[in-house]
Amino acid sequence: MSSKQVQASTDLFIKQLKGHKIVVVGSVIAIWILYTRVSWPDSAVPLSPRPRPARKSSGSLPPKLSDLTHLLHWPLTPGDGGDFLTSTSPETSTYHLKGPAQASYALGGYLEAILIARDHRGKPKTHGYEETVTCNINPLLTGEEESACHYRDEDSGELWFCARPPTLPCDSLVGHSSGRYWNVTTPQEEALLLRNVTDKVLPQGISPIWVAKESDRSLVLSPKQLCHPGILGPKPSGFFHRGVWHSLSCSGRSFSTVDSILGCLAGHVVHMMGDSTLRQWWEYLRDTVPSLKPVDLHVTYQTGPLMAVETTRNIVLHWRAHGWPLRSLRTPVASLHSVVQELGGLAGGPHTVVVLGLGAHFTTFPPSVFVQRLAGIRAAVAALLAREPRTLVVIKLANTGYKSVYGSDWFTLQVNRLLRAAFADLRVAFVDAWEMTSSLALPDSIHPVRLIVQNEVDSLLSFICPT
């Protein structure tokens, strides 16, 4: 190879080498610039967020529930001394169906079995999943004022007290039933309410009074204004004529046929909350309208909730007892909703009717207890009418009672005065059951006969359907 060719090759190699160095150096510089821009923050370059500690799962338990093993605690068997023979024996324990046995049962029927646990000696067990204690609105009457269990209604703020169970915790309360009456009268009141001075016929009466011919209906005057909430009730509020109650405050209607009742209730949901005298309204409609079908909710009948529906006219009737104080058979505590709680869950509207019946179960307590209950209910009614003014709210006044001291007309009169005063400035309707139950010569009963209940329901329907 000539010297010129060697020189040319050398020059080409040097040029290629220089170009390679330039590429390598340029790559290094580019990498270094990229590194510095990533490593050193620049206001013009947004930084990606730094990783944060993982949050606790939304399904984690609150601190107070972090240890659930306390739920597995089983109390020691009282008085057995560790004797095996006092434990429950499968040989001596028995069970049977509640109620008389039937030859056959319908598919889907409801059966209740009773288990009688006995120990190995055949002795019935006297302890297990129940402890009975005294409960009351007044903690002094529970027998254990200082250590009583406190139960607070989250909606109304009212308190209920129970004596602390021997072994079970306070939060194990599951059932309620009525106990004995506590004396709420003073010696002077007891003397005034004894049977030897009450329920007596006065020695002098009034001669028979001729009113009018039965065919002359023009003499039975009826007010022209329609029945509506907020209307003032005169004294007396009405009268009976030929078995029909005639209101003196508004032009009440008589709903004597099934079609008239259905036509009025069509498209309405009626919520009744109160005592058994209000449950009579629910029962009257159930028994009078054949197409109103009750739904078995598998609850204690005395406390409810009860429901009946008429699907072709879109009618729903609810009834449930107000919360404690309540005289009833054993019922789950979870079923005892307060009126405030129920009202708070209603949206209201033109198709919603609320009927409240309070009184009979409060006559065994001082009036201050009833006043406190009314304060919460009044606030709930006011809130319901504020969010939906077209809701109809009807207050059933308490019936005249029976001649028991604890259900006397004297206590019931106080209840009705408080009821009227509590709702006087709200657009609610009143059904004066007091005067309806005292205007006919019928035997005393806390639960009036069907004729009176029918007229009470007619008064309700007159407010729902005034025309």
Side-chain angles (χ1 to χ4, degrees), residues 217-360:
R217 295 190 177 184
S218 64
L219 297 179
V220 183
L221 302 179
S222 179
K224 293 184 178 180
Q225 77 170 322
L226 301 178
C227 297
H228 61 85
I231 194 171
L232 296 178
K235 285 292 184 181
S237 62
F239 61 91
F240 274 106
H241 177 66
R242 300 184 66 182
V244 176
W245 176 259
H246 295 269
S247 172
L248 294 177
S249 59
C250 61
S251 55
R253 298 174 56 192
S254 177
F255 296 82
S256 57
T257 66
V258 171
D259 287 339
S260 64
I261 297 175
L262 287 173
C264 179
L265 290 177
H268 285 88
V269 180
V270 182
H271 299 270
M272 303 180 188
M273 309 170 211
D275 54 37
S276 58
T277 66
L278 183 59
R279 188 180 69 223
Q280 287 185 278
W281 292 17
W282 185 90
E283 293 167 338
Y284 168 79
L285 291 171
R286 176 202 62 188
D287 297 339
T288 303
V289 182
S291 57
L292 264 174
K293 302 299 183 183
V295 179
D296 187 359
L297 300 179
H298 307 296
V299 296
T300 304
Y301 184 80
Q302 282 187 313
T303 57
L306 307 179
M307 183 171 70
V309 297
E310 214 279 3
T311 56
T312 60
R313 306 287 186 105
N314 295 322
I315 301 172
V316 181
L317 299 181
H318 292 282
W319 175 88
R320 73 180 313 138
H322 57 68
W324 44 45
L326 190 68
R327 297 188 291 273
S328 70
L329 298 176
R330 180 177 173 85
T331 189
V333 169
S335 296
L336 299 180
H337 296 185
S338 68
V339 175
V340 174
Q341 177 183 1
E342 287 295 304
L343 292 178
L346 296 180
H351 301 289
T352 301
V353 179
V354 173
V355 188
L356 305 179
L358 308 168

Side-chain angles (χ1 to χ4, degrees), residues 137-168:
I137 284 182
N138 185 353
L140 295 174
L141 299 180
T142 63
E144 298 182 13
E145 177 189 2
E146 296 182 356
S147 62
C149 297
H150 294 58
Y151 302 96
R152 181 181 180 87
D153 187 282
E154 296 298 332
D155 298 284
S156 65
E158 294 184 45
L159 288 174
W160 182 253
F161 303 92
C162 291
R164 187 174 296 273
T167 62
L168 297 176

Side-chain angles (χ1 to χ4, degrees), residues 102-130:
Q102 303 178 20
S104 62
Y105 296 89
L107 180 63
Y110 184 76
L111 301 178
E112 184 176 355
I114 297 178
L115 172 65
I116 302 177
R118 297 182 177 88
D119 62 18
H120 290 267
R121 298 185 178 93
K123 183 179 179 180
K125 303 298 290 289
T126 58
H127 56 271
Y129 303 108
E130 179 177 319

Side-chain angles (χ1 to χ4, degrees), residues 31-226:
I31 293 173
W32 181 82
I33 292 174
L34 179 62
Y35 173 78
T36 56
R37 292 184 68 86
V38 172
S39 302
W40 296 88
D42 190 335
S43 59
V45 180
L47 297 178
S48 59
R50 295 182 179 180
R52 297 179 179 180
R55 294 182 178 180
K56 292 184 178 181
S57 170
S58 59
S60 61
L61 294 172
K64 65 179 181 179
L65 297 180
S66 59
D67 183 10
L68 295 178
T69 56
H70 69 279
L71 297 178
L72 306 180
H73 170 71
W74 194 266
L76 296 176
T77 304
D80 65 352
D83 183 5
F84 170 78
L85 295 180
T86 62
S87 63
T88 304
S89 168
E91 301 295 331
T92 60
S93 299
T94 59
Y95 67 95
H96 62 272
L97 289 179
K98 183 178 181 180
Q102 303 178 20
S104 62
Y105 296 89
L107 180 63
Y110 184 76
L111 301 178
E112 184 176 355
I114 297 178
L115 172 65
I116 302 177
R118 297 182 177 88
D119 62 18
H120 290 267
R121 298 185 178 93
K123 183 179 179 180
K125 303 298 290 289
T126 58
H127 56 271
Y129 303 108
E130 179 177 319
E131 290 177 352
T132 302
V133 296
T134 299
C135 301
N136 202 284
I137 284 182
N138 185 353
L140 295 174
L141 299 180
T142 63
E144 298 182 13
E145 177 189 2
E146 296 182 356
S147 62
C149 297
H150 294 58
Y151 302 96
R152 181 181 180 87
D153 187 282
E154 296 298 332
D155 298 284
S156 65
E158 294 184 45
L159 288 174
W160 182 253
F161 303 92
C162 291
R164 187 174 296 273
T167 62
L168 297 176
C170 288
D171 59 7
S172 61
L173 178 65
V174 295
H176 168 83
S177 60
S178 56
R180 66 184 181 90
Y181 287 148
W182 294 98
N183 189 4
V184 296
T185 56
T186 65
Q188 181 184 15
E189 290 171 334
E190 290 178 1
L192 294 173
L193 296 173
L194 291 176
R195 289 185 179 272
N196 61 341
V197 293
T198 62
D199 199 22
K200 299 297 180 181
V201 179
L202 299 180
Q204 295 181 354
I206 300 176
S207 302
I209 298 175
W210 180 259
V211 178
K213 294 183 178 179
E214 294 184 357
S215 60
D216 190 0
R217 295 190 177 184
S218 64
L219 297 179
V220 183
L221 302 179
S222 179
K224 293 184 178 180
Q225 77 170 322
L226 301 178

